[in-house]
Amino acid sequence: MPSVTLSDVAREAGVSLATASRAINGSANRTVRPELRERVLAAAAALHYSPDANAQAMARGRTTTIGLIVHDIADPYFSSIAAGVTAAAEQAGLMVTLASTGHDPEREIAFIEVLQSQRARAIVMAGGRTDDEAVNDRLRAALAAYRAGGGAVAMIGQPLFDVDTVVIENAAGAADLAGALHGAGYRRFAALAGPAGHLTARDRMDGFAAGLATHDAALSPEHIVRSAFTRDGGYEGMRQLLESGAAVDVVFAVNDVMAVGAMAAARDAGVAVGTGIGIAGFDDIVTLRDLTPSLTTVRVPLLEVGTAATELTLAEPALEPRIQQVASTVVLRDSTPPRT
Amino acid sequence: MPSVTLSDVAREAGVSLATASRAINGSANRTVRPELRERVLAAAAALHYSPDANAQAMARGRTTTIGLIVHDIADPYFSSIAAGVTAAAEQAGLMVTLASTGHDPEREIAFIEVLQSQRARAIVMAGGRTDDEAVNDRLRAALAAYRAGGGAVAMIGQPLFDVDTVVIENAAGAADLAGALHGAGYRRFAALAGPAGHLTARDRMDGFAAGLATHDAALSPEHIVRSAFTRDGGYEGMRQLLESGAAVDVVFAVNDVMAVGAMAAARDAGVAVGTGIGIAGFDDIVTLRDLTPSLTTVRVPLLEVGTAATELTLAEPALEPRIQQVASTVVLRDSTPPRT
DNA sequence: TTGTACGCGTTATCAT
DNA sequence: ATGATAACGCGTACAA
């Protein structure tokens, strides 16, 4: 209601609007006498002046907003990334606008358009993509339109959209994991591979298989079960695997939450995780570090992934899309004890 | 760069700016002939027109933004709330601006001011407060200034700031938990009480003690240990408790992540959780539902808390601050098996 | 139903 | 160093 404007401050201080503006934003060349400056600041304080960011955005032609689009902010994978993004954004003096899409590409597109309307400086997009090229094309188009308007974009995951991307070493990490498990004495492998079209899941599976191949081991097709990329998917997949009576000594779940579901399924089936059957995941979700047995996984520095993506969008635009790899490292824990 | 404005669209469609505006925003009384309307929409599509949200905000005098302030978005407690807020916001056609403060009140205040600058419609603030009245007063002042500007505020936690609040039944839930544990046969209680000034921790402790009193049981002071409101705090507190050689059969940690730390400490000390010593938490963090043994806790419907808070801010402003209780319910699990 | 013109709160250009 | 004043992109009385 008592929306006090810069004009009010100027009048109160007995100076012109221009001077008030200069005194307050204190931009580069603040050509304003200290005396007046004080008067203005005092007036502003007295009137409880709060600059209107929207008006500033209009006048300056640029906002102070960065958009973050994730599949599900309640998922620890994404919330860790979000923590990195908010930290980097604050560092840069930006506010982050959060969109949680519930895995719906339509909403991703809608949010991109909204962020474009807000004239957000940049958009960070996280979350595994699928191989649905119809959807991908529309996403590409939305991003292209946004970028045409001067916005920067950074993706997190795999380099799919010809924009700056923070690439998570899914294949390499999974390959390393395969090697480590083989080194620990495991020989009969199975995998909870996630949904068919899921690219992250696919990369991890491919990497795991490649890693096994390095050691003359292999993953027979009947030991690969597909299910949702979620805790319940992991549970269901593991249940099926156990029910099939497959002779397996370790199972790789393509992410930690699926591994958690798998552990639960094993327990429910009376199979001891660790001694009875090994289970490994991917991501190293912090909240899950105290599971029993502790979960073997591949650590992805999610927080840094978030900050890296944010910084990418803030850097000088490059001609070529930048690809920034972040290393993933194997963490062997009790869910895959050495097999003698 | 090729920032196409409404004027461009109007010109392209051969109509006035006003008509273009009416045709596109399609507000209540859209007094525009279908024919022209089509022309405008076609022109907008052809030119890839994207309305400038900032300009709209200025002209309309209100934004489409709601702010969310949390302590740490990576914490599952807050990310669950955030999920509720984003969902409710999308429902209402609003974008949420996220601030993760790292538990720093100074940054909370700073963010409130930024959100005020953005002219955000509302602010949802989550996160336990302390009894530091100096800080609380400054927070109160910042919120008052924001509200004076016409913004709505909803807090999540305890009714501390004379604003609409979604109150989590900390005391009642803890009391119920105490009763349930007593009913399960536990008699020698201990508690990891969190930091001294932490109001949420205090409420839960008070409730727990009250619940015990109902059953003629009690919590002796030497069985109350104070430590950080975190996983590591729980670990450390439990370690101290065990080291002290206290004769205890169940320990109540004032939140789930502390309980997780406590479980880890018990294991490291060779004490079996469940059969050896009972452990209970508070919150029922979803990601933690697959712990072994499964954790007895008090469920707080965090997602609904988030949506409820959001809806409170969007409702017609009331004269009195609204207080909305959300029920918390005891969930007995394997970490506190019946004691015979 | 449509168009004209003003206002929203700032920044920035250009004189002074 | 300071002050008018023109943008910025849009919504909306008011007039036609």
Side-chain angles (χ1 to χ4, degrees), chain A residues 71-264:
Chain A
H71 285 344
D72 176 12
I73 189 61
D75 183 325
Y77 176 87
F78 292 112
S79 65
S80 295
I81 289 176
V85 173
T86 54
E90 187 181 357
Q91 184 88 14
L94 301 178
M95 290 297 275
V96 6
T97 297
L98 172 67
S100 187
T101 64
H103 300 268
D104 181 355
E106 301 303 325
R107 283 158 75 191
E108 295 187 302
I109 293 172
F111 276 125
I112 292 173
E113 286 165 355
V114 174
L115 288 168
Q116 181 174 13
S117 267
Q118 318 252 79
R119 303 295 186 258
R121 281 242 203 119
I123 295 181
V124 172
M125 240 178 118
R129 321 280 7 141
T130 73
D131 58 359
D132 181 337
E133 281 307 322
V135 161
N136 286 345
D137 281 344
R138 297 185 49 214
L139 237 20
R140 254 183 279 264
L143 289 177
Y146 173 70
R147 298 179 69 197
V153 174
M155 299 273 306
I156 292 172
Q158 50 276 103
L160 193 62
F161 288 153
D162 225 56
V163 299
D164 289 351
T165 305
V166 175
V167 174
I168 293 173
E169 288 188 355
N170 289 314
D176 290 349
L177 175 63
L181 292 176
H182 187 275
Y186 290 92
R187 291 297 178 272
R188 311 164 82 99
F189 301 88
L192 305 182
H198 197 292
L199 297 184
T200 298
R202 181 184 297 174
D203 283 355
R204 292 176 181 181
M205 281 303 297
D206 290 350
F208 194 75
L212 289 183
T214 304
H215 296 276
D216 294 321
L219 194 56
S220 61
E222 67 270 26
H223 289 172
I224 299 180
V225 13
R226 303 212 158 278
S227 55
F229 204 68
T230 62
R231 184 270 179 202
D232 289 347
Y235 186 97
E236 178 57 20
M238 189 64 169
R239 199 189 56 70
Q240 286 180 28
L241 190 66
L242 292 173
E243 212 165 57
S244 76
V248 153
D249 54 22
V250 63
V251 13
F252 166 54
V254 292
N255 70 39
D256 277 4
V257 296
M258 288 185 70
V260 166
M263 287 174 68

